[in-house]
Amino acid sequence: MNRIVQGMSITEVLKDMRAADGYYVTNTARDLSQSDFKNRILLHTDLLAAKAREKANYFSLEITGGASVHVDILRKQVDPFLKLKLLREKMPNTMFQTLCRGVNLFGYRPYPPNVIRLTVREFAKYVDVWRVFDFLNHIPNMQAVFEEVQKAGKILEPSICFSTGPEHTDDYYVKKVGEILDVTGDEILLCIKNHGGLGTPKRIGDLVKAIKDRYPDIVIHYHGHNTDGNDIGRITAAVVNGAKIVDAADHAFTGYFGPPPILSVLQTLKDYGHHAVGVDEEAVIETSEVLRNERRHYEYFESQFKGFLPTVQIHKLPGGAMGSSFEQAVKGGFLDKMPEILHDELPKVQRELGNYWSVTPGSQILWTTAVSNVHDGRYENCSGDLKNLLLGQYGPFPFYRPDDWIYEKAFGPDWQKILEKEGGVEEIEDIDIDRERTVLQERLGHEPTAQQLVTYLQHPNDAVNFFKFEEEFGQTYVLPPSIFLKHGGFALGETIEFTDHNGKDHSIEIGPQQKDADGETSIYLNVDYHQRVYTMAAEVTDAGAVKVEVLSKEEIEELASIGDVRAPFSSNVCQIDVEANQEVAVGDQLVVLEAMKMQTPVLAQVAGTVQKISAKIGDALKPGDKLLKIATKDDKAAD
């Protein structure tokens, strides 16, 4: 059997797969990084593994998409397009795969149709297989991506998101497959996306069989997580019942919340009489041998909690949310409340909000709601994204609408009027992309590339910060994790030696350090025996530091009632909706804050005129930080 390689059409791929005696494997390196290492696996590490992964003859390598595009620019200082370009040079045959959130693309909320189409066109220059999902399984939310992927001649893989509960029947999912095929036609792969690792092997096997019984020629790709330690069983049941492609990852990096190890999958299925088409087991082993020494440098990003979590069948959090939820609990000081949140409140919230699928952005809505309910009282502090969900702006609830009392908690006694006025799927108009290009050009000081524009349109502030960082410091992907992720800093006089992914040796000497009369510090570096100097501004002493104002929740609310609008929680400013001297009414949206991927609008509590705006887009705020001041009529009368 000839290998399936990048550049083949969907017609060729389907023909080969249907004729093949065996199953195929996707190496889900991106999902592994996101689920078990908070998306921190660096390009340097992936480049080290590229040669062995290429020899392994996988159906595809999932190497971009999901949250990774954002984290690439936010935390790893690497261009997501450059990553694909460099990996393609080392992996000319392997198909690259992405995970796309439909109308949410690689972000967390809906984008305009022309932004969706432009983004797909640019990424399709590198990405061959497009796994597309929607957290409500709402087909129209995925349609623009479907169309652009097929126009580009790439392989479309629509997903049905899987969960458990009385509503999640085989009949429901088979019907949903039919709705997908009505839109896409027959030339697709179909993914069963079990992002939480839910259900038993029997349950997954029954679902695969039900779909194959109704659509015998369909090629099914099973994706799952190993949070409960049982996904190899689910994979086995899927293949035995007719699934043609399965997901797994390199065993040297597998953990608890992501995919299971490829080698264990291969070994298990052999005893069932199923073999992986074309997969080179020696190359699978070689990849992990290459990666093994890299793992220790990522230890900081692994979950603080070790071991499998069979309780995922109760709380249903997906792999990508597991590690981050514990991290947030540690930082937020509510680790002791995690059992209550996970095993009591989160299942309640799941049922109350319609038992939809706990995957981005729906998983963030469920998680933040459960945390807020435990801290602030049940539905006493509803996020803007929860309100949008209740209004149906993401799409219709698939099974049932939440009870009226939740709407009243979220919107007040006039909730029915608000639902009637604002309810329904959010209609997002095309934006003026040429105008956005001009804005980006002004912020950068030069004409942006098409790829820079695409990155900017999804994550504007973080993209601009990244582009400016790269202009000032260069491309840092050459640095290995032992340096890029080193904790504790570097000592003066220290010499750092490392070998890059191409086998070239490098040397960095730290120091000396000089301080001038104005307090500015210059640090000298010898990089491969070429001297570089970095100058740091003078440090502010404690005596000159401004004391940070710490306000309680009640004090912040009291200030808002007199027009002094403060940040209610730690967050970033992602949108400012008013200008100085603008008249505002009670309930008008002033600012949108973002925390834990959720957006929360800050509304005016008083009517008046915007007197001063203290925050700007991109600012990182702490509770009590100033946002803006509204001058009321009483203020003017006093003047």
Side-chain angles (χ1 to χ4, degrees):
M1 177 68 63
N2 292 330
R3 178 181 179 182
I4 290 175
V5 297
Q6 73 97 9
M8 291 176 66
S9 69
I10 182 64
T11 303
E12 294 173 293
V13 169
L14 290 175
K15 180 181 177 182
D16 282 0
M17 285 194 152
R18 287 166 179 158
D21 180 19
Y23 66 97
Y24 294 79
V25 176
T26 288
N27 185 324
T28 48
R30 190 280 317 165
D31 198 359
L32 176 71
S33 175
Q34 181 165 330
S35 297
D36 285 312
F37 298 92
K38 300 181 179 66
N39 251 320
R40 293 311 206 285
I41 305 301
L42 299 180
L43 174 57
H44 183 281
T45 298
D46 285 322
L47 286 169
L48 284 179
K51 182 178 178 181
R53 283 175 173 165
E54 172 76 351
K55 288 195 300 183
N57 294 341
Y58 296 120
F59 165 71
S60 61
L61 174 70
E62 189 200 62
I63 199 61
T64 189
S68 73
V69 173
H70 188 205
V71 180
D72 279 349
I73 61 172
L74 182 65
R75 302 295 183 206
K76 298 190 286 187
Q77 279 68 54
V78 66
D79 187 321
F81 288 100
L82 176 65
K83 176 172 77 173
L84 293 169
K85 179 178 180 292
L86 293 174
L87 286 169
R88 174 57 69 213
E89 292 172 359
K90 290 183 174 291
M91 303 182 70
N93 293 315
T94 303
M95 293 200 295
F96 289 165
Q97 181 171 309
T98 190
L99 177 70
C100 178
R101 300 160 176 160
V103 71
N104 301 306
L105 286 173
F106 306 123
Y108 315 108
R109 52 203 40 89
Y111 290 96
N114 58 343
V115 171
I116 294 172
R117 295 180 185 279
L118 176 63
T119 301
V120 174
R121 287 197 297 272
E122 283 300 316
F123 273 92
K125 295 174 181 177
Y126 301 96
V127 176
D128 308 286
V129 182
W130 287 74
R131 176 176 293 164
V132 188
F133 76 92
D134 177 71
F135 81 100
L136 292 174
N137 275 333
H138 187 49
I139 309 305
N141 282 348
M142 300 184 277
Q143 191 159 345
V145 178
F146 288 173
E147 292 170 358
E148 287 302 319
V149 170
Q150 291 183 316
K151 282 182 186 177
K154 300 300 181 178
I155 296 170
L156 176 62
E157 185 175 292
S159 300
I160 50 170
C161 294
F162 174 80
S163 189
T164 53
E167 301 84 10
H168 295 266
T169 63
D170 288 345
D171 287 343
Y172 169 81
Y173 288 114
V174 170
K175 181 181 178 183
K176 191 58 63 174
V177 173
E179 292 176 19
I180 290 172
L181 294 173
D182 287 343
V183 172
T184 64
D186 296 335
E187 290 206 322
I188 63 164
L189 307 177
L190 175 77
C191 177
I192 297 175
K193 181 172 170 54
N194 189 6
H195 41 271
L198 301 177
T200 63
K202 181 181 184 303
R203 176 70 193 95
I204 295 301
D206 288 346
L207 177 57
V208 172
K209 184 178 185 303
I211 296 172
K212 291 291 289 184
D213 284 347
R214 177 65 181 83
Y215 300 102
D217 291 333
I218 201 164
V219 174
I220 294 176
H221 189 161
Y222 172 76
H223 164 80
H225 282 201
N226 202 35
T227 306
D228 64 347
N230 204 18
D231 207 51
I232 293 178
R234 288 184 286 265
I235 287 172
T236 301
V239 171
V240 167
N241 283 279
K244 208 69 176 179
I245 320 169
V246 297
D247 283 2
D250 300 297
H251 55 266
F253 266 67
T254 47
Y256 308 108
F257 309 138
I262 294 166
L263 194 60
S264 297
V265 170
L266 301 179
Q267 293 166 342
T268 300
L269 281 167
K270 277 182 185 177
D271 273 1
Y272 284 85
H274 297 270
H275 71 279
V277 178
V279 172
D280 183 334
E281 287 193 27
E282 291 302 316
V284 173
I285 296 170
E286 180 186 345
T287 305
S288 279
E289 294 306 311
V290 169
L291 291 173
R292 190 167 304 284
N293 288 331
E294 293 280 290
R295 183 165 184 162
R296 67 182 187 274
H297 304 302
Y298 296 101
E299 182 179 9
Y300 178 80
F301 302 105
E302 294 195 60
S303 173
Q304 299 91 333
F305 296 83
K306 311 301 182 186
F308 296 111
L309 286 179
T311 53
V312 71
Q313 305 299 331
I314 300 170
H315 58 71
K316 301 182 182 179
L317 272 184
M322 284 304 310
S324 61
S325 68
F326 284 118
E327 181 181 40
Q328 290 161 19
V330 171
K331 290 180 177 179
F334 58 90
L335 189 61
D336 59 316
K337 294 185 180 295
M338 283 297 280
E340 178 185 357
I341 294 170
L342 289 176
H343 304 149
D344 183 19
E345 187 59 31
L346 194 49
K348 284 181 186 175
V349 170
Q350 286 262 6
R351 293 191 297 270
E352 291 167 349
L353 295 184
N355 199 20
Y356 66 79
W357 295 269
S358 182
V359 63
T360 305
S363 52
Q364 281 82 7
I365 296 174
L366 293 169
W367 165 252
T368 54
T369 301
V371 172
S372 175
N373 285 359
V374 168
H375 287 312
D376 304 324
R378 306 206 74 237
Y379 299 99
E380 294 293 342
N381 188 16
C382 296
S383 69
D385 290 283
L386 173 56
K387 292 178 180 179
N388 289 339
L389 175 75
L390 293 171
L391 290 170
Q393 292 187 357
Y394 290 104
F397 285 97
F399 304 119
Y400 54 88
R401 199 186 77 177
D403 290 339
D404 292 353
W405 69 269
I406 294 178
Y407 281 86
E408 187 167 359
K409 281 281 191 179
F411 300 107
D414 293 330
W415 66 269
Q416 289 174 309
K417 293 179 181 178
I418 294 173
L419 182 60
E420 183 178 345
K421 181 182 177 181
E422 301 180 24
V425 177
E426 184 179 9
E427 292 292 335
I428 302 177
E429 301 293 330
D430 283 347
I431 63 170
D432 186 339
I433 290 181
D434 288 335
R435 181 178 177 278
E436 295 298 322
R437 183 185 289 108
T438 299
V439 171
L440 178 56
Q441 181 175 346
E442 291 172 354
R443 294 182 69 176
L444 293 180
H446 60 79
E447 177 75 19
T449 67
Q451 293 175 354
Q452 285 179 320
L453 178 61
V454 163
T455 306
Y456 168 78
L457 289 172
Q458 289 174 89
H459 305 289
N461 297 309
D462 293 330
V464 170
N465 290 338
F466 164 69
F467 297 146
K468 290 182 176 179
F469 172 92
E470 195 173 60
E471 287 175 7
E472 183 175 358
F473 297 107
Q475 296 173 334
T476 62
Y477 70 86
V478 68
L479 293 174
S482 58
I483 295 176
F484 191 87
L485 301 176
K486 183 179 178 180
H487 286 263
F490 301 93
L492 288 175
E494 183 176 357
T495 299
I496 304 163
E497 295 180 341
F498 69 96
T499 302
D500 67 22
H501 58 274
N502 286 318
K504 183 179 178 181
D505 292 329
H506 299 274
S507 174
I508 302 174
E509 297 176 48
I510 311 295
Q513 173 179 304
Q514 292 182 344
K515 183 178 290 188
D516 64 20
D518 295 325
E520 286 190 340
T521 301
S522 296
I523 297 179
Y524 293 79
L525 300 181
N526 276 320
V527 181
D528 290 343
Y529 309 107
H530 296 281
Q531 189 175 85
R532 298 185 186 182
V533 182
Y534 294 92
T535 301
M536 316 296 175
E539 291 185 28
V540 177
T541 63
D542 290 343
V546 178
K547 185 178 180 180
V548 177
E549 186 177 12
V550 180
L551 300 177
S552 68
K553 178 183 175 183
E554 291 73 20
E555 289 172 323
I556 292 171
E557 292 173 350
E558 184 176 343
L559 287 170
S561 70
I562 59 173
D564 187 354
V565 185
R566 305 296 186 101
F569 47 80
S570 297
S571 55
N572 292 303
V573 180
C574 64
Q575 186 174 313
I576 298 176
D577 297 288
V578 294
E579 298 176 350
N581 300 318
Q582 179 178 331
E583 296 286 335
V584 296
V586 174
D588 283 354
Q589 183 167 298
L590 305 172
V591 177
V592 179
L593 304 178
E594 184 172 41
M596 294 191 293
K597 304 179 185 177
M598 294 288 97
Q599 290 188 352
T600 299
V602 177
L603 308 180
Q605 302 301 310
V606 296
T609 304
V610 176
Q611 190 177 59
K612 180 182 180 182
I613 298 175
S614 302
K616 63 181 183 296
I617 292 176
D619 280 356
L621 305 175
K622 294 179 180 179
D625 284 352
K626 293 182 179 181
L627 291 174
L628 54 88
K629 180 72 170 69
I630 298 172
T632 66
K633 292 180 180 179
D634 291 340
D635 293 332
K636 293 178 180 177
D639 292 340

